[in-house]
Amino acid sequence: MINILGKNNSLLSQYLSEIRDKDIQKDRLRFRKNLERIGEIFAYEISKSLNFETKDIQTPLGTANQAVLSDKIVLGTILRAGLPMHTGMLNFFDKADNAFISAYRKYNPGGGFEIKIEYMSSPSLEDSTLIISDPMLASGLSMILAYKELIKRGKPKHTHIVALIASQEGIKQVQKQLPKDDISIWLGAVDDELTVKSYIVPGLGDAGDLAFGNKE
Amino acid sequence: MINILGKNNSLLSQYLSEIRDKDIQKDRLRFRKNLERIGEIFAYEISKSLNFETKDIQTPLGTANQAVLSDKIVLGTILRAGLPMHTGMLNFFDKADNAFISAYRKYNPGGGFEIKIEYMSSPSLEDSTLIISDPMLASGLSMILAYKELIKRGKPKHTHIVALIASQEGIKQVQKQLPKDDISIWLGAVDDELTVKSYIVPGLGDAGDLAFGNKE
Amino acid sequence: MINILGKNNSLLSQYLSEIRDKDIQKDRLRFRKNLERIGEIFAYEISKSLNFETKDIQTPLGTANQAVLSDKIVLGTILRAGLPMHTGMLNFFDKADNAFISAYRKYNPGGGFEIKIEYMSSPSLEDSTLIISDPMLASGLSMILAYKELIKRGKPKHTHIVALIASQEGIKQVQKQLPKDDISIWLGAVDDELTVKSYIVPGLGDAGDLAFGNKE
Amino acid sequence: MINILGKNNSLLSQYLSEIRDKDIQKDRLRFRKNLERIGEIFAYEISKSLNFETKDIQTPLGTANQAVLSDKIVLGTILRAGLPMHTGMLNFFDKADNAFISAYRKYNPGGGFEIKIEYMSSPSLEDSTLIISDPMLASGLSMILAYKELIKRGKPKHTHIVALIASQEGIKQVQKQLPKDDISIWLGAVDDELTVKSYIVPGLGDAGDLAFGNKE
């Protein structure tokens, strides 16, 4: 199931417009804040599909029968670009466990590249609700590899894959290579073009550099 | 139109359960944080009903046709209990204008009380989209008086009245005394009982005291 | 005792430079964030002069003898301009009680104005450590009146008066009209000029308008 | 030069007491918030030693001669435990570049372990002011290795090493293995004991687990 939040206008559209804008994005504080708020919005929208149980809560004045979250949430993200959206997710799911994973493009001498995992920190994912977020779903290869690596730590009950901007190609690859039944896809917007260097166009540029500065 | 967000479970239910809980609410940092997050969620849900216009945004890699918010938002709140939810609203509508209003209960010697306005700071509301928030809609009298006082500053295009917990009586009064067409009501939960001292039961207690400490 | 934090350069100087800058201050999110961070910095610097007691804390691995704050803090602020700095103060003193006070200039038909209190919410201040913050100490009259009104709720053990920018005249008035022994003054910067309309020059403009938008 | 902020009581002492407390630390939101606030305090204290230049700033009412930060800051941290303090650092140095590095303990079959670098993302550090933070300086080996790896990206003008809790042994190793002249050490507290498994006692437990949950 694919949910494209940007199809209907909301504050997410406003934040996305600022994140894309090559002048506004020069303000790193606002750029990161926008990714955080977008992480919060995704967290909230995803929470509508989660499991709750009702409990009797003692207020100072009486007893309220109130729903509380019963799923065991794990928030996974891909370094370093995913960190601001992850911060937003964790602002909203403050009791969650967390998984961090880094992947890099290993360029081949003959051209092209492979995605390799280098860092991974994850709890057991058995029976968890896994939410993996990354600002961009470009070729989709990082997300696919991250997913495959993560589920070695146990089988989640359900996985939510979150990206702010996806390419058609990235969505196609995720749908092709990952199991359909257990996975929901949450997107902000879908852009048409993917360059040969796997940049989304019009996209937003390099989310990691814009949030944290260039790396060598 | 009345929208009760708590009818369907989401993170708002989780935060509301913590806010109601007489043990958890002792942690003022979490209590205020929960009200802030709830303010953010209401801001986001309300934003789905606002007006947007599309603009061409220059990204580092191309041009994106993207919706941006076109309504002129004014965030009003009632002191002091409304401040944490207002902070959340302003976190999400960061460009908004703001109105602050304070009302107090003037107890009559013969029993009963009137609501009086003492402090008010507001921009012109002409053609604005006004969002007034208060954690509790108990008797409804503060909200009704705040609305009537605010619109002396001009006629909003539309008004959104927001309360985390409302009593049936409060809703009834707002619907009776305020114009139906121009107003949407957004609630987290509706509780049945209203005491003679205008406390909602089971409610959460005194939101102002829980956020900021007792006042003399 | 007067402490002028801006005498020695630190991040406070950086934030103050952004707050003063007529272009940068157009970004309300950053303007409020800067006031919040400045509130946090004042809170931290003031905390160095507070009272602590040592307690044995059980860690997962042993026992640590650790200092914890023992003063009863009340954070007072003047509406509406003081709210962002107050938010910063409360971010750092998260367990504090809070006092809100509003004052307005009542202009006399014959010219000049008096400062009047209209809204006040405060706990008992008996034996408290009171910290009153306001971005600007211009004529000093609002702060003096706020102080006098607040201490009707009991005598604080000590009071810290905090302003980001003060005029020489404002400092003089506070020192003249308020008791010296029980009060410490904390400033970011001191500007020379005070206009006849009681604006500080070069100052920063109207802190309330810049944070929250114009009011009618 | 070693600066131990906890030698004099301040809000840092309060946050450290909560972070150490095995009951309070169960609230991950507060635990991370405390590490963030501590990151902000270190950022502010370090900023007092940085370079500033004065600029003429146009305010709405005049011209202010105001100091602005002139050093090029790079905020480095060690994954994953360092992330919350890094968030605090970045809250205060919002324009900084950032470096992330992960190190792990590779246990030898015959006992003991080596620290290995697996992930690193860093800008050029030539002429930068580098601030590397990690909650714990236990054996000191991760910090030493991180430093050595980072400076392959260029020679910083000065490096600030930050840890909330250090062991005597960790300090000794850093001083022995890293150049003295170019490095300042900033600590919250120094604990006496280091276990054979390189845990600090009394310490606080495992900062990464407490912030983000166990990892497998």
Side-chain angles (χ1 to χ4, degrees):
Chain A
M1 191 186 57
I2 303 188
N3 309 279
I4 304 177
L5 295 189
K7 269 199 177 161
N8 301 305
N9 292 332
S10 75
L11 275 168
L12 184 135
S13 320
Q14 174 66 31
Y15 304 151
L16 179 52
S17 79
E18 294 179 13
I19 277 178
R20 286 187 189 271
D21 189 302
K22 69 185 173 57
D23 292 320
I24 298 174
Q25 64 184 209
K26 280 176 193 155
D27 180 353
R28 284 187 195 166
L29 184 147
R30 182 174 282 273
F31 186 81
R32 290 189 304 264
K33 178 78 177 171
N34 278 328
L35 284 173
E36 272 185 47
R37 295 190 282 204
I38 283 168
E40 290 167 352
I41 286 172
F42 276 116
Y44 168 64
E45 286 287 1
I46 289 169
S47 78
K48 294 179 181 175
S49 69
L50 299 180
N51 294 297
F52 289 76
E53 60 193 8
T54 52
K55 282 198 179 167
D56 279 347
I57 307 277
Q58 302 305 318
T59 80
L61 299 170
T63 304
N65 192 255
Q66 185 71 43
V68 295
L69 186 59
S70 57
D71 285 329
K72 182 195 151 209
I73 310 295
V74 179
L75 303 174
T77 198
I78 300 176
L79 298 176
R80 61 181 171 148
L83 287 173
M85 272 176 72
H86 178 264
T87 298
M89 290 265 174
L90 190 51
N91 286 346
F92 267 35
F93 286 115
D94 61 78
K95 296 168 171 58
D97 283 340
N98 297 271
F100 300 99
I101 195 162
S102 81
Y104 67 105
R105 294 177 178 182
K106 191 183 172 193
Y107 288 94
N108 298 325
F113 61 84
E114 295 167 88
I115 307 278
K116 295 271 189 184
I117 295 293
E118 55 194 336
Y119 171 73
M120 163 125 147
S121 152
S122 174
S124 163
L125 298 175
E126 201 67 34
D127 289 323
S128 71
T129 297
L130 174 63
I131 304 174
I132 319 177
S133 59
D134 197 9
M136 312 301 277
L137 190 73
S139 68
L141 299 185
S142 300
M143 184 58 86
I144 290 163
L145 190 62
Y147 175 82
K148 287 182 177 171
E149 202 66 25
L150 281 165
I151 60 168
K152 293 179 185 170
R153 308 294 171 102
K155 191 176 156 35
K157 220 170 58 178
H158 195 78
T159 299
H160 301 270
I161 286 178
V162 179
L164 176 53
I165 305 179
S167 73
Q168 296 287 3
E169 174 63 18
I171 299 169
K172 205 178 97 185
Q173 287 302 325
V174 166
Q175 289 187 307
K176 192 171 147 192
Q177 297 193 36
L178 299 186
K180 277 220 172 70
D181 288 353
D182 301 340
I183 293 183
S184 304
I185 300 175
W186 299 83
L187 306 173
V190 179
D191 284 9
D192 285 336
E193 197 187 335
L194 189 68
T195 67
V196 285
K197 288 194 172 178
S198 286
Y199 273 97
I200 296 176
V201 176
L204 56 76
D206 187 304
D209 284 359
L210 289 164
F212 296 119
N214 294 334
K215 57 181 173 181
E216 283 225 311
Chain B
M1 191 186 57
I2 303 188
N3 308 279
I4 305 177
L5 295 188
K7 269 199 177 161
N8 301 304
N9 293 331
S10 75
L11 275 168
L12 184 136
S13 321
Q14 173 67 31
Y15 303 151
L16 179 52
S17 78
E18 293 179 16
I19 276 178
R20 286 187 189 273
D21 189 302
K22 70 183 172 58
D23 293 319
I24 298 175
Q25 63 184 210
K26 280 175 195 158
D27 180 353
R28 285 186 194 166
L29 185 148
R30 181 174 283 274
F31 186 81
R32 290 189 304 263
K33 178 79 178 169
N34 278 328
L35 285 174
E36 273 185 47
R37 295 190 281 204
I38 282 168
E40 291 167 351
I41 287 172
F42 276 116
Y44 168 65
E45 286 287 2
I46 289 169
S47 78
K48 294 179 181 175
S49 69
L50 299 179
N51 294 297
F52 288 77
E53 60 193 7
T54 53
K55 282 199 177 165
D56 279 348
I57 306 278
Q58 302 305 318
T59 79
L61 298 170
T63 304
N65 192 254
Q66 186 72 42
V68 294
L69 186 59
S70 57
D71 285 330
K72 183 195 150 211
I73 310 296
V74 178
L75 303 175
T77 199
I78 301 175
L79 297 176
R80 63 186 168 146
L83 286 173
M85 271 176 73
H86 178 265
T87 297
M89 290 265 173
L90 191 51
N91 285 347
F92 266 36
F93 286 114
D94 61 79
K95 296 167 171 59
D97 283 342
N98 297 272
F100 300 99
I101 196 162
S102 80
Y104 68 105
R105 294 177 178 183
K106 190 183 172 193
Y107 288 94
N108 298 325
F113 61 84
E114 293 167 273
I115 306 278
K116 296 270 188 186
I117 295 293
E118 54 193 339
Y119 171 72
M120 162 124 146
S121 152
S122 174
S124 163
L125 297 175
E126 201 67 34
D127 289 323
S128 70
T129 297
L130 174 63
I131 304 174
I132 320 178
S133 59
D134 197 9
M136 310 302 276
L137 190 74
S139 68
L141 299 183
S142 299
M143 183 58 85
I144 289 162
L145 189 63
Y147 175 82
K148 288 182 176 170
E149 201 65 26
L150 280 166
I151 60 167
K152 292 180 185 169
R153 309 292 172 103
K155 191 175 155 39
K157 221 170 55 179
H158 194 79
T159 299
H160 301 270
I161 287 178
V162 179
L164 176 53
I165 304 180
S167 73
Q168 295 286 5
E169 173 63 18
I171 299 168
K172 205 178 96 185
Q173 288 302 325
V174 166
Q175 289 187 308
K176 191 171 148 193
Q177 299 193 37
L178 299 187
K180 277 219 172 71
D181 287 354
D182 301 340
I183 293 183
S184 305
I185 300 175
W186 298 83
L187 306 172
V190 180
D191 283 9
D192 285 335
E193 197 186 334
L194 189 68
T195 68
V196 285
K197 291 195 170 177
S198 287
Y199 274 96
I200 297 176
V201 176
L204 56 75
D206 187 305
D209 284 359
L210 290 164
F212 297 118
N214 294 335
K215 57 180 174 182
E216 281 224 313
Chain C
M1 192 186 56
I2 303 188
N3 309 278
I4 304 178
L5 295 188
K7 270 200 177 160
N8 300 305
N9 293 331
S10 75
L11 276 167
L12 184 136
S13 320
Q14 173 67 32
Y15 303 152
L16 179 52
S17 78
E18 294 180 14
I19 277 179
R20 286 189 190 269
D21 189 304
K22 69 185 173 54
D23 294 318
I24 297 174
Q25 64 184 207
K26 281 176 193 156
D27 180 353
R28 284 186 194 165
L29 185 146
R30 183 175 282 272
F31 186 82
R32 290 189 304 263
K33 178 78 177 170
N34 278 328
L35 284 173
E36 272 185 47
R37 294 190 282 202
I38 283 168
E40 291 166 352
I41 286 172
F42 276 115
Y44 168 65
E45 286 287 2
I46 290 169
S47 78
K48 294 178 181 175
S49 69
L50 300 179
N51 294 297
F52 288 77
E53 61 193 6
T54 52
K55 280 198 180 168
D56 279 348
I57 306 277
Q58 302 304 318
T59 80
L61 299 170
T63 304
N65 191 255
Q66 185 72 42
V68 295
L69 186 59
S70 57
D71 285 329
K72 181 195 153 210
I73 310 295
V74 179
L75 303 174
T77 199
I78 301 175
L79 297 175
R80 61 182 172 149
L83 287 173
M85 270 175 73
H86 178 265
T87 298
M89 290 264 174
L90 192 49
N91 285 346
F92 266 36
F93 286 114
D94 61 79
K95 296 168 171 58
D97 283 342
N98 297 272
F100 300 99
I101 195 161
S102 81
Y104 68 105
R105 294 177 178 182
K106 191 182 172 194
Y107 288 93
N108 298 326
F113 60 85
E114 294 167 89
I115 306 278
K116 296 270 190 185
I117 294 293
E118 54 193 337
Y119 170 72
M120 165 125 145
S121 152
S122 175
S124 163
L125 298 175
E126 201 66 32
D127 288 323
S128 70
T129 297
L130 173 63
I131 304 173
I132 319 177
S133 58
D134 198 8
M136 311 301 276
L137 190 75
S139 68
L141 299 184
S142 300
M143 183 58 85
I144 290 162
L145 190 62
Y147 175 82
K148 288 182 177 170
E149 202 66 25
L150 281 165
I151 59 167
K152 292 180 186 169
R153 308 295 171 101
K155 191 174 156 36
K157 219 170 54 178
H158 194 79
T159 299
H160 301 270
I161 287 180
V162 179
L164 176 53
I165 304 179
S167 73
Q168 296 285 6
E169 174 63 18
I171 298 169
K172 204 178 96 186
Q173 288 301 326
V174 166
Q175 289 187 307
K176 192 172 146 192
Q177 298 194 35
L178 298 187
K180 276 216 172 73
D181 287 354
D182 302 341
I183 293 184
S184 305
I185 300 176
W186 299 82
L187 306 173
V190 179
D191 283 8
D192 285 335
E193 197 188 334
L194 189 69
T195 68
V196 285
K197 290 194 170 177
S198 286
Y199 273 97
I200 296 175
V201 177
L204 56 74
D206 187 303
D209 284 1
L210 289 164
F212 296 119
N214 294 336
K215 56 181 174 181
E216 283 224 312
Chain D
M1 193 186 57
I2 303 188
N3 309 279
I4 304 177
L5 296 188
K7 269 199 178 163
N8 300 305
N9 293 331
S10 75
L11 276 167
L12 184 137
S13 321
Q14 174 66 31
Y15 304 151
L16 178 52
S17 79
E18 294 179 16
I19 277 178
R20 286 188 190 270
D21 189 302
K22 70 185 173 55
D23 293 319
I24 298 174
Q25 64 184 209
K26 280 175 194 155
D27 180 353
R28 285 186 195 167
L29 186 147
R30 182 174 281 273
F31 186 81
R32 290 188 304 263
K33 178 78 177 170
N34 278 329
L35 284 174
E36 272 185 47
R37 296 190 281 204
I38 283 168
E40 291 166 353
I41 286 171
F42 276 116
Y44 168 65
E45 287 287 2
I46 289 170
S47 78
K48 294 178 182 176
S49 68
L50 299 179
N51 294 296
F52 288 77
E53 60 193 8
T54 53
K55 281 198 178 167
D56 279 348
I57 306 277
Q58 302 305 318
T59 80
L61 298 170
T63 303
N65 191 254
Q66 185 73 42
V68 294
L69 186 59
S70 58
D71 284 329
K72 183 195 151 209
I73 309 295
V74 179
L75 303 174
T77 198
I78 300 176
L79 298 174
R80 61 183 171 149
L83 287 173
M85 271 177 72
H86 179 265
T87 297
M89 290 264 174
L90 192 50
N91 286 346
F92 266 35
F93 286 114
D94 61 80
K95 295 167 171 59
D97 284 341
N98 297 272
F100 300 99
I101 195 162
S102 79
Y104 67 105
R105 294 176 178 185
K106 191 182 172 195
Y107 287 93
N108 297 326
F113 61 84
E114 293 167 272
I115 306 279
K116 295 271 190 185
I117 295 293
E118 54 193 338
Y119 170 72
M120 163 125 146
S121 152
S122 174
S124 163
L125 297 176
E126 201 67 33
D127 289 322
S128 71
T129 297
L130 175 63
I131 303 173
I132 320 178
S133 59
D134 197 9
M136 311 301 275
L137 190 73
S139 69
L141 299 184
S142 299
M143 183 59 84
I144 290 163
L145 190 62
Y147 175 82
K148 288 182 177 171
E149 201 66 25
L150 280 165
I151 60 168
K152 292 179 185 170
R153 308 294 171 103
K155 190 176 156 35
K157 219 169 56 179
H158 195 79
T159 298
H160 300 270
I161 288 179
V162 180
L164 176 54
I165 304 179
S167 72
Q168 296 285 6
E169 173 65 17
I171 298 169
K172 204 178 97 186
Q173 287 302 324
V174 165
Q175 290 187 306
K176 191 171 148 193
Q177 299 194 35
L178 298 187
K180 276 217 171 74
D181 287 353
D182 301 341
I183 293 183
S184 306
I185 300 176
W186 299 82
L187 306 173
V190 180
D191 283 10
D192 285 336
E193 196 186 336
L194 189 68
T195 68
V196 285
K197 289 194 171 179
S198 286
Y199 274 98
I200 296 175
V201 177
L204 56 75
D206 186 304
D209 284 0
L210 290 164
F212 296 119
N214 294 335
K215 57 182 174 179
E216 283 224 311

